[in-house]
Structure formats: structure tokens, C-alpha cells
Amino acid sequence: MPRPMTLGEKILARAAGVKSVSPGDIVLATLDLCLGNDITAPLAIQAFYQSGGTKVFHRRKVVLVPDHFTPNKDIQSAEQAKILREFAREQKLVYYWDQGEVGVEHALLPEQGVVVPGDLMIGADSHTCTYGALGAFSTGVGSTDLGAAMLTGKAWFKVPPTIKLIFKGRLPADVTGKDLILTAIGRLGVEGANYRALEITGPVIDRLSMEGRLTMSNMAIEAGAKTGIIPPDDITRAYVEKRAQRKPRYYQSDPDAEYERVEVFDVTGMEPVVALPHLPSNVVPVSRARNVVIDQAVIGSCTNGRIEDLRQAAKLLKGKRVSPRVRTIIMPATPLIYRQALKEGLLDIFMAAGCIISPPTCGPCLGGHMGILAKGEKAVATTNRNFVGRMGHTGSEVYLASPAVAAASAIKGRLALPKEVRGSNWKVGVKK
Amino acid sequence: MIIKGKVHKFGDDVNTDEIIPARYLNTSDPKELAAHVMEDADPAFPALVRPGDIIVAGKNFGCGSSREHAPIAIKAAGVACVVAESFARIFYRNAFNIGLTIMECAVAAEAENGHLLRVDAATGKIANLDLGREYAAKPIPAFMQELIAAGGLMEYVRKGLMK
């Protein structure tokens, strides 16, 4: 009898061609996909050529997404993006998207069905852990690992121990996947899951939308985790089956699989939360930070730039105006999400409320471009990190929250709860 | 390899945004990256650091982004070794892949700015010459030692060892 395994261990064992794996084992495994972006891929491509590479191992399995500094923010970033474009053409890569088609990588790949359940994948981007939401084992690496993977189709992995998170109880209306994962990071700490995998489970997750799950897996890295896997179910199947470009493999953890520890979260009575500067683990209820006056609100990114996120924000912004002191930037994460938001009238709601609509880009999330903060400025953002200087000047501050909290805060000009702006008698100057 | 160098001390959770801010990631030129290394943790650092110096830090060094620009910037600035209580997973992997010497050692992190450290990369023995104390770093896993012996990951691949 093989050892009982978690679903993550099963994927690693399958890809390594062995019956079973245990935490601590080092395995050389065959990859289903490898990913790079306009910051990390140029170094990987350089490593690829320097070690004598001429052809990638598989033109459908090397994925390049120029999303960080695009549309090109300056000459140097244009040169970086050009390296990707030329490499994609030369290697006839199937999965490369340019302006007009490109979106934020971790929103784009699931949407386009490029990554599917059961995949083993590495990406030269720390948020590659996002695809755990589909029941894939995916993790962030650096450019050299990507370069080696583009050549060989393989990567080495140390099998991580797994921490199981169980979310139970009654999910309050304004509490989202973002609030759940921030709460978990708050309890685990930014190093709490270092060298470990998270398995995110429980009755609350069973009812959570795919968007909410992608948000949760996306931020596993903020607790240091290698990946954040969610067991696939009917919600996964319904999302995947209309878009999968390959046959998915649905793995489940064995009932007697081994976990390093189990953390239980009772969400009943929970309030929306915010991560205060300068760590994603500085998590407090929004109600305790309502005095924080903000200069900017950013709604988007690989964490929260999906259609459900935009709907949540639009619901609160409909018929209202954002505070004149708050620059409110809406970033639909992919062209498809952008068009869907257009069709549903969400973009009109945003513009009538005084927001700016950005093209799909990582943009301000990492302090790249299109919404940089000056010294002393504060932003509420639906993004994933609030380190010193993350969105601009080292004297600026980022507060991480859900799209609903960001939208409410944009209206109030300070950190605010969604219920503070809902159904108020606030007079509006716009027709909608 | 014996490394002997002056300590630059940092705290816990030094993240990749501090090591090399994203505003400089529109290039991957090691020299340009080195000019801004650790800038958002200590603006004086790029001017102060000398070849052969050692960075000593607390827990979770290199957390955050997967950018290999972070270990590249540190290496290109001439830093000979990073000693930390612990490293974030991706940074740890990247450092080995690009040939930056790193040592995981909780007790050695008691070193202060300006102390002289001697690090034996082969045995993991660390000595603080100012405090007169010796420490042992966490051993490097056998597989990582093979990678180092081959001359890094890409050399390992080129030699046909990745199978």
C-alpha cells in the first residue's frame, strides 16, 4: 500500500514518476507548464541561450506573459518586453499574448484554460501559487529555474510538509476570500508557512466562488508557502470544463493524509479586515482602522482584478462619487474581464463615480507605473503586498483589503466598511 | 572557500522590494541593480558596501517576490555571503542557482554592524572575530551541494545531470 498522500503530494509523485513521496524528499519532476513575465523571463532567456539552448522543450508548455511594465512604461522596459516577443516568435510559443490580448498572468492563465487541475507548474513569479485554487501544484521560482525548465521540461522540488487550513461557520455578507486569506496570514505570520504547502479547505471554501478561491491561493506566498491548494469540486469543474485546453486531472487528498498541523478558522461573526503597513500579516478588522485617511484606492491585480471583484466594487460605487481626495484606479485584470465589465455597465458606474480605468497591467501593485505614491501618501489596495515602498515612495503606505472595502474607502476618503456607504442618504450628482 | 568580511546588519523579513525595488527592474544589468541594492532598507548601503562584506539578517530574509534580481544585486555589489536566521524559500533557491553564498544560522545573527565574521563555506563554520564566538550553520542539503559542485543549476543542466 502506498503511503496516504495529500493531493499536492499526489501531483508531485505523478510528475516524478514514483508511487509516493514524503515531506523532505527531493524529486526531479516533469513539468506541465512553466511561466515567465517581462521582468523575470529576460534573465531566463539569457540563461537558456548561455547554456547552449536553441529550442524550448515544448512550445505549448512554455508560457510568456508581458504584464508587469506593460504597456511599456519606458525605453528599458520596452527592451525587456521585446526580448519576450522575439523569443516567443522564434520559438513559436503557443501561449504568448501581446497588447490587446495580454492580461495579468495569474488572471489570464486560468481564464484561458492554459493551466488545468492536476498540473505541476513553476513560474518565475511568486504569485504562481494562484493556480492551487484549481487543484494544481504550482509554485514560484526564479529566472534560472525557469531557464532550466524551458530547456529540459523539468524542475527539482523538495516535497513540502502541508498545513491544512479549515474554514468553517457562517460567512458574513461583506466578508470575502480576501478577508479569509488575510486572516490566515495574520495568524500564520509572513514566515509561518515557509517551505510548506497550504491546503485550504472547509465548508466555507466549498461554497466559495472560483474568483474567491483564486484570491486565497494567490496570497499563500504571503505566509511564505510554496503553494496553496484547494481540493477541486463541482465549482472547479464548472469553471474548468468550458475553458480547459488540456484534460484536467482531479486529485483529492487521502482521508488519512499527513498534515504538519491543522488551523481552524470560525468565520461566524467575522468582519472585513485590512492589512496595515508594512506586512501582509498586520491584519486588523477594518472597524479598528477607520481613522486612516487615504489618497488612492487601487482595485485590481492578480489578487482581486476578476469580474466578481469588479462587481463587488461597482455595487457600492453605483450612483455615488468617490471622495475628491482619492484617486481611484480600477484595473480589470484581462481584456475579457474588461469587456465583460463594459457589457455589464460596470465601467460606466466606475467612470460616473470618478474612477480611472486602467488597461490590464500589474502597474502600481509593485510600484511599477500607472499609480505611484508620493511621500506620505496612503493607498488602500486590493493587491497582495504592503512592504515599505511597494507602491512608490518609501514614505508611502499601502493598506490591503477586499474590493468592497476599497470601494467603500474610496467613497469615504478613509478606510471604511461596505455597510457605511450602503443605503446612505448621500446625494449623488450623477445619473445612473 | 573562506570568507572574511565586515558585517552589515539587517532585521527580520527583509523583503525583495527592499533588496531591489521594482522601480529598478526595467533592467537586469547586475551593475545597475547593484547601484540600488538594499536601498529601501538602508539608503546609505549601496555607497557603504565594499567587496567581501557580509550581510547578517534575522528571519525570513528575501521574502516576497521571486525576482532573481535580488540575489544578483547583492552578489554584484560584492557581498560575499548572507548569513540569516532563516531565508524565504524562493530567495534560498535563487541564491544557490546564481552562486551567492548564503548560510542559515540563528545564533550567528547576534552579530552587530561592523563586526568581522569568518565564514567557511564548505563546512558551514562561522566565527565572529569581535565576539570571539563560533557557530555552525544549518547544513546544506546534499542535492544543493551537487548543484554547487556542478557550478550552478545551468551548468548542472548543461552537463546532462538534470535527468
Side-chain angles (χ1 to χ4, degrees):
Chain A
M1 257 283 282
R3 160 181 189 276
M5 289 189 286
T6 65
L7 78 115
E9 288 163 356
K10 286 181 185 179
I11 295 170
L12 283 172
R14 189 263 304 158
V18 294
K19 276 217 175 76
S20 76
V21 295
S22 300
D25 291 355
I26 288 183
V27 296
L28 189 63
T30 302
L31 298 167
D32 297 294
L33 286 174
C34 60
L35 163 73
N37 60 50
D38 52 317
I39 289 179
T40 60
L43 280 168
I45 292 167
Q46 190 185 325
F48 173 88
Y49 285 130
Q50 272 172 2
S51 37
T54 52
K55 220 170 159 221
V56 297
F57 79 103
H58 198 305
R59 68 186 196 95
R60 299 183 73 89
K61 294 185 178 180
V62 176
V63 180
L64 294 182
V65 185
D67 59 354
H68 277 61
F69 290 156
T70 56
N72 300 335
K73 76 158 178 152
D74 54 22
I75 295 168
Q76 282 180 304
S77 41
E79 297 291 344
Q80 303 264 94
K82 194 175 163 197
I83 295 172
L84 268 68
R85 187 176 302 114
E86 289 177 350
F87 187 75
R89 272 186 204 147
E90 178 196 292
Q91 299 288 328
K92 300 187 169 56
L93 300 186
V94 176
Y95 300 120
Y96 167 79
W97 301 260
D98 223 314
Q99 303 307 296
E101 293 182 316
V102 77
V104 176
E105 51 192 338
H106 310 307
L108 188 68
L109 266 53
E111 173 198 283
Q112 298 292 318
V114 176
V115 54
V116 299
D119 276 356
L120 177 67
M121 164 172 189
I122 60 167
D125 187 280
S126 61
H127 293 107
T128 302
C129 54
T130 307
Y131 316 121
L134 301 171
F137 191 105
S138 58
T139 190
V141 296
S143 298
T144 304
D145 273 307
L146 174 61
M150 294 196 306
L151 252 177
T152 63
K154 289 179 177 154
W156 65 269
F157 296 87
K158 188 171 172 186
V159 180
T162 303
I163 301 174
K164 187 176 191 170
L165 309 183
I166 302 174
F167 290 87
K168 60 169 203 178
R170 227 182 118 92
L171 191 69
D174 289 332
V175 177
T176 67
K178 182 62 163 286
D179 301 288
L180 299 180
I181 192 63
L182 284 175
T183 300
I185 296 162
R187 189 189 295 182
L188 293 168
V190 287
E191 198 205 15
N194 197 12
Y195 295 105
R196 290 163 181 83
L198 296 180
E199 191 173 304
I200 305 168
T201 69
V204 174
I205 308 303
D206 294 344
R207 288 191 294 271
L208 196 64
S209 67
M210 191 45 69
E211 281 92 344
R213 294 179 185 188
L214 286 160
T215 300
M216 291 189 73
S217 293
N218 173 271
M219 289 191 75
I221 178 69
E222 278 18 286
K226 189 166 196 163
T227 190
I229 302 192
I230 298 179
D233 60 7
D234 288 344
I235 291 175
T236 322
R237 283 171 203 274
Y239 179 86
V240 166
E241 277 167 14
K242 58 187 174 213
R243 56 188 96 221
Q245 308 244 354
R246 283 174 294 116
K247 200 170 168 341
R249 285 172 284 214
Y250 296 99
Y251 290 92
Q252 296 296 337
S253 294
D254 292 322
D256 45 356
E258 186 189 315
Y259 295 94
E260 188 183 80
R261 67 178 206 267
V262 177
E263 293 283 345
V264 180
F265 297 84
D266 188 346
V267 305
T268 308
M270 196 183 147
E271 286 179 54
V273 295
V274 57
L276 309 176
H278 289 286
L279 285 177
S281 56
N282 287 343
V283 177
V284 301
V286 174
S287 57
R288 276 176 35 201
R290 286 167 59 229
N291 57 344
V292 177
V293 172
I294 56 164
D295 305 282
Q296 179 163 297
V298 174
I299 298 173
S301 84
C302 62
T303 312
N304 278 123
R306 300 180 185 85
I307 191 69
E308 186 185 278
D309 301 314
L310 300 187
R311 285 178 191 144
Q312 284 169 5
K315 221 169 161 180
L316 293 169
L317 286 162
K318 188 171 183 177
K320 298 208 167 58
R321 288 288 286 180
V322 299
S323 159
R325 63 164 292 126
V326 181
R327 310 181 295 268
T328 305
I329 305 171
I330 311 281
M331 310 191 297
T334 70
L336 210 64
I337 296 167
Y338 200 115
R339 290 186 69 191
Q340 183 66 26
L342 192 64
K343 274 185 211 155
E344 292 182 19
L346 309 185
L347 299 189
D348 196 46
I349 292 171
F350 293 138
M351 295 200 72
C355 307
I356 314 155
I357 318 284
S358 149
T361 178
C362 300
C365 169
L366 74 161
H369 61 153
M370 308 239 238
I372 304 302
L373 300 174
K375 187 178 177 180
E377 288 189 332
K378 294 178 169 67
V380 61
T382 68
T383 55
N384 41 55
R385 291 195 178 125
N386 56 354
F387 297 144
V388 170
R390 174 73 179 179
M391 201 173 271
H393 195 280
T394 50
S396 63
E397 293 181 350
V398 177
Y399 295 76
L400 303 174
S402 71
V405 169
S409 306
I411 295 167
K412 287 287 186 188
R414 57 163 173 84
L415 290 183
L417 285 159
K419 66 180 179 194
E420 292 182 64
V421 300
R422 200 177 284 127
S424 71
N425 297 323
W426 213 71
K427 288 286 173 216
V428 287
V430 286
K431 283 185 202 125
K432 177 65 211 158
Chain B
M1 184 179 57
I2 306 285
I3 298 160
K4 212 162 141 186
K6 206 179 71 170
V7 168
H8 296 266
K9 183 71 186 283
F10 293 88
D12 290 341
D13 304 316
V14 172
N15 61 74
T16 51
D17 282 300
E18 291 173 307
I19 299 172
I20 184 72
R23 58 184 177 273
Y24 302 122
L25 297 185
N26 54 4
T27 175
S28 40
D29 177 17
K31 263 197 210 144
E32 280 188 51
L33 296 172
H36 302 289
V37 65
M38 306 298 284
E39 190 177 284
D40 284 2
D42 175 7
F45 184 81
L48 283 176
V49 67
R50 295 285 171 267
D53 285 356
I54 293 174
I55 288 177
V56 174
K59 289 181 195 148
N60 205 24
F61 187 86
C63 64
S65 145
S66 71
R67 61 188 73 151
E68 210 161 280
H69 309 65
I72 289 173
I74 292 173
K75 192 182 174 198
V79 172
C81 179
V82 182
V83 178
E85 280 185 52
S86 66
F87 290 91
R89 186 190 70 83
I90 305 176
F91 184 93
Y92 185 83
R93 196 170 168 129
N94 287 347
F96 280 96
N97 284 345
I98 67 139
L100 170 69
T101 306
I102 59 172
M103 294 279 157
E104 203 169 296
C105 184
V107 275
E110 68 177 343
E112 298 291 341
N113 258 334
H115 281 178
L116 201 60
L117 281 198
R118 190 183 63 222
V119 177
D120 184 336
T123 63
K125 275 198 184 132
I126 302 170
N128 186 318
L129 303 179
D130 285 272
L131 296 176
R133 290 189 193 141
E134 288 208 11
Y135 324 91
K138 216 166 142 186
I140 297 162
F143 175 74
M144 307 289 271
Q145 289 184 25
E146 273 178 53
L147 282 186
I148 297 165
L153 179 65
M154 292 316 289
E155 278 303 303
Y156 189 80
V157 168
R158 216 169 59 83
K159 289 173 180 160
L161 297 169
M162 188 97 156
K163 58 185 170 199

